[in-house]
Amino acid sequence: MKFTKTALVFAFALGFLGITNTMSKAQSLSDLDGNAFLLHPKTGQFLGNVSSDRYDRDSICNPYGTYGSQYQRISIWNQYGDYGSPYSNYSAYNSRANNPPLIYLANGQPLAVISTSENWKRVIHPGALFGVICGNR
């Protein structure tokens, strides 16, 4: 089912701001597929498209691509890189990071922080994002 941008924004707002039902949040995460991207606001580094397409070179789910590989320097899945390390201040996997990556809607509107910390107002855990969008790759 295709969503209009207004319906998409409304669905995301419900899923991340008010609904506590796990299924609703999972559904909202799956709605991001092909409709969002990751970017680090402080460095300006593009970190990939939120897309389940394993053949899309810019997808966070492409294990051989720049943004989906656990070995690429700018992938959030690289535990030794700036954006995936448990120690980097720019990382989605550092619960104490002051500058984690953000997820943006396709229209450029920021949606949430990608982080393992629950201290942010609107946050998506990177493992949840990976599990819902990428599934078992």
Side-chain angles (χ1 to χ4, degrees), residues 5-19:
K5 286 184 181 180
T6 305
L8 201 55
V9 170
F10 181 71
F12 294 143
L14 286 177
F16 295 111
L17 300 178
I19 294 179

Side-chain angles (χ1 to χ4, degrees), residues 1-82:
M1 177 199 292
K2 294 285 183 190
F3 286 93
T4 65
K5 286 184 181 180
T6 305
L8 201 55
V9 170
F10 181 71
F12 294 143
L14 286 177
F16 295 111
L17 300 178
I19 294 179
T20 57
N21 181 315
T22 304
M23 186 60 175
S24 296
K25 287 186 180 182
Q27 181 63 40
S28 294
L29 279 177
S30 66
D31 290 341
L32 291 173
D33 190 359
N35 297 306
F37 60 94
L38 302 180
L39 181 85
H40 196 278
K42 184 130 177 124
T43 65
Q45 179 64 57
F46 175 75
L47 298 172
N49 290 326
V50 177
S51 169
S52 61
D53 184 351
R54 292 176 173 89
Y55 300 103
D56 175 358
R57 70 183 195 139
D58 293 335
S59 171
I60 63 169
C61 296
N62 180 345
Y64 305 106
T66 302
Y67 309 105
S69 170
Q70 63 181 339
Y71 304 108
Q72 292 291 329
R73 182 182 62 80
I74 57 174
S75 172
I76 67 167
W77 314 127
N78 180 347
Q79 64 181 333
Y80 302 107
D82 286 340

